[in-house]
Every structure is written in structure tokens, then in C-alpha cells.
Amino acid sequence: MLKLTGGSLAALGLTAAGCGSGSGSGDGSVTIRYAWWGSDDRAKRINQSIALFEKKYPKVKVKTDFQPYADFWKKFNTQASGGNPPDVFQNAIGFLRKYDEKNVLLDLREQVKAGNLRLDGFRAGLEKFGEIDGKLLGVPVGSNSMALVIDRKLFAEVGITPRPGWTWGEFQAALAKIRDTQGRAGDSGMYGVMYLYDLHLRQHGKAFFTQDGLGFTEADLTDWWTRGYAGVRSGVHAAPGKVAQARPKSAVTAELAASEFTWDNFAIRYTAEGKSEYGLAPIPTTDGKRTGQYLGSLMLSGSKRTKHPREVAQFIDFMVHDPEVATIMGFDRGVPATTAQYEAFKPTDPVARQIAAYEQQLVDSGVLETITPHPAGADVCEAAFLRLAEEMALGKRSVPDAVKQYFTESKTALGS
């Protein structure tokens, strides 16, 4: 689900080759391989955390490998197909069933029973986030939720203050007012954000995914993309060609749009990129109450082929529970998933404080729901959704053609 892709391709401590995962030596020490995606800054923070782990567990050495998001999964697929995946790796909800069906993921339940991995002390039920069919396939390291990032100065200039419970109608009126008074699109292009569409569906008693496939109809998606196409043509949504040209910069910080739906912990990026002041606004609702939101998370998973499941579990436990790790990682992977880490890191940065307050408000208000199940192939569905939505918005495909093609590709990906 979460795509932090910045940074160079320089690898830090390339993974060890060989048959099977991990290695051992005559003095009883072992080496495990840890891989993740992200930026150079994330790599720096993770390597500092690993240094602490190796100090606490001197007989466990950790070899590391990191890549940008797309490159990570290309390499991981190659390793998994060859029977040599890393012992422990960063994971996301959209990949759990896929790699479980490929017999890649370690069920960590046995390590919990053995006392090598704790599931107590997690915030807001996050310890259940990596549970699939009774198996524990991932452990959360941080939480996030969908939010609307806004240019606060611009919203203030037009007198718009988004509040919890505001409706989609009020949201659309706000976008039109911004377009008409500021000469800027109100939104960057919400029609291509799969996880936002999931929330919209959930507000109507449906969901993007069921356990076995798609949870919506061609008519549902036709309605969503028809409104998206109309928004592009009216200037309420930013011109998709200009948005593409601005990448990797956000449409908001490139001053093409006043707002953008994304994960709340990405808000830090906007302050670094842009010249204005940016903040988090609530998700619009259908009935003034239900947002459909849930807490998502990056996770750590283990390889079923690892020779060192105990050490893998100890490493995961350390990375999600140790308070000092929280002070190093900050909100890089979301708001810390465990209470111990959440309380250990007190952000001083205004944007980080906003992120923490935003998630706390979601917890306190009781709007959070259980995440929609993600079947094997969900990652392919997400990529197709983004691509076809952009082709539709650019006028390269009609709405009916884009919808038909999406269902064709999704059914193939999901085996349905």
C-alpha cells in the first residue's frame, strides 16, 4: 500500500548470495539479511537502528539492502523465485496473500509462542494488521491513514476550513471556489488513488477488495471515473499532463493544485518540497459521519526459507518495540505502531505533530474500521488503477474503455 521512492540507487551492504537465507559461523554467530525500500535518509536511520540491535545481540549480524519501491519488488521477485529471499524484509498489506500463496512468508506465530516476538503493546489493534487466514505474516512498524494534504495559506485565503464530517458536496464546492478565485485547480487528481476510492466505496457499504476479488461493479467505477473526467475538463482537478511533468514533485508543491489525497505520514514531504504551509484535512464523507478509514502500516515479514527464524523474530521485535529505535526513525515509516515507541518519540517538528494529532483524532473519534482484505494480485490491481485512471484523464481512453480494461486486467491478476 505506502510508496516512498526517493533517493539514489546506491546499495548499503549488498545482500549475501548463496543457497537459502542467512548464514552461521563456528563461534555461534549468525548473519541475517534485511531488505527494504525507501530513500537514502531511511537507509541511514535503519542502519543506525541496526547498530543498536547488533550491540544488544552481538552474535547476530545484519546484512542490508535497500532500493526504491519498484526496484525493490523486481529484485525481491527474482530472489523469491530463486528460493533465496532475504531473511526479513519490509512488506505491505497488498503483498501478504500474494507471497503467502507462493509459500514465501514465515508464519511468525511459533516465534510469538516461543517468546521471541511480542504482540502486546500495539496501538489501536495494529497487532492484527498482518494476520491472514490465522497466520501472522507481518508485524507493523508504523501506522498511517489516508488524509487530504492542503495548502493551508491558499485555503485560508478563500475562507475554507475543512472539518471532520464535511461532505463530498462541500469538498467539491471548495475545489470550485479555489479554481474560480485562485486560478489553481482544487485537487491534484483523486480519481486515480485506489485507497481513496476504497474509502468512498466503504462509505457506501462496499469495498475495493473482498477476500476473493473486487468488491465493486463496472457501474460503480464508471460513475467514479466519469466524475473524475468531468473534474479534469472543468479545471477542478489539475491537468494530468502538467502533473506528470512535475513529478517527482507533488502537484500541490508545484502549485498546480491546492490539495491532494495521500497517506498522512507523507505530509513531511510537502514542507521539504514547497514554499507554502501545508496541513492535513479530514476525509470527506457521504453521510457526515462515516469516513471508511482504517490505520494502514508498513510491516516486517520473515522468509519461510530462513535458517534463523528465532533471530528474525528477535530482530522484528527489537525494531517495533525498542524506544531508542523510535527516536532514530521518527515518523519515517509512519506513526510508531507500539505504545512504547509512540511515547518515546515526541515530535518537535510542526508537521510531525500534525500527523500524530491527526491519527489520535481518528482513534478518539471512533471512525476507524477494519482494513479491507487484499487478495493475491492486489498490487497489480493498484498499478493498473493508477495507470488507466491517468490514461482516462489524459483522454487516451474513454471512460467505458478504461473501466472495461481495468476489469479485464484485474480479473486476470486476481485469477477470477
Side-chain angles (χ1 to χ4, degrees), residues 148 154-155 157-160 162 166-188 190 227 230-238 256-259 261 284:
L148 180 67
L154 194 149
F155 268 67
E157 286 177 9
V158 297
I160 300 171
W166 70 326
T167 66
W168 287 104
E170 291 171 326
F171 170 68
Q172 291 293 339
L175 302 189
K177 185 175 182 180
I178 290 168
R179 175 200 60 193
D180 295 341
T181 62
Q182 303 297 311
R184 189 187 303 186
D187 172 77
S188 67
M190 52 187 267
R227 283 185 283 166
V232 171
R233 295 299 169 265
S234 70
V236 167
H237 299 313
L256 298 173
S259 67
F261 289 97

Side-chain angles (χ1 to χ4, degrees), residues 150-343:
I150 64 172
D151 184 322
R152 296 177 68 184
K153 287 184 177 180
L154 194 149
F155 268 67
E157 286 177 9
V158 297
I160 300 171
T161 304
R163 301 186 186 281
W166 70 326
T167 66
W168 287 104
E170 291 171 326
F171 170 68
Q172 291 293 339
L175 302 189
K177 185 175 182 180
I178 290 168
R179 175 200 60 193
D180 295 341
T181 62
Q182 303 297 311
R184 189 187 303 186
D187 172 77
S188 67
M190 52 187 267
Y191 44 81
V193 184
M194 185 190 84
Y195 289 97
L196 176 66
Y197 185 46
D198 182 32
L199 300 190
H200 186 266
L201 288 167
R202 290 159 68 94
Q203 291 178 17
H204 290 82
K206 297 187 177 184
F208 198 99
F209 292 118
T210 66
Q211 184 169 320
D212 302 315
L214 298 178
F216 58 97
T217 66
E218 291 190 23
D220 293 328
L221 184 55
T222 297
D223 177 66
W224 179 255
W225 276 351
T226 296
R227 283 185 283 166
Y229 185 81
V232 171
R233 295 299 169 265
S234 70
V236 167
H237 299 313
K242 291 183 179 179
V243 173
Q245 290 174 358
R247 293 176 186 143
K249 201 169 187 179
S250 158
V252 173
T253 56
E255 300 184 353
L256 298 173
S259 67
E260 182 167 82
F261 289 97
T262 188
W263 299 103
D264 57 15
N265 64 307
F266 286 12
I268 295 172
R269 161 194 176 187
Y270 294 80
T271 300
E273 282 185 359
K275 301 176 182 177
S276 188
E277 295 178 5
Y278 309 97
L280 297 174
I283 296 293
T285 70
T286 299
D287 60 3
K289 297 177 182 179
R290 187 180 184 184
T291 67
Q293 283 172 279
Y294 47 80
L295 289 184
S297 179
L298 287 176
M299 290 175 282
L300 295 180
S301 292
S303 164
K304 202 167 190 176
R305 295 179 65 93
T306 183
K307 296 177 181 177
H308 308 295
R310 182 184 69 174
E311 287 78 10
V312 164
Q314 289 171 334
F315 178 75
I316 293 174
D317 184 90
F318 183 83
M319 295 296 276
V320 301
H321 287 285
D322 186 83
E324 197 168 351
V325 170
T327 65
I328 294 172
M329 296 304 304
F331 285 179
D332 178 82
R333 299 175 299 181
V335 178
T338 57
T339 301
Q341 290 196 342
Y342 181 80
E343 294 177 347

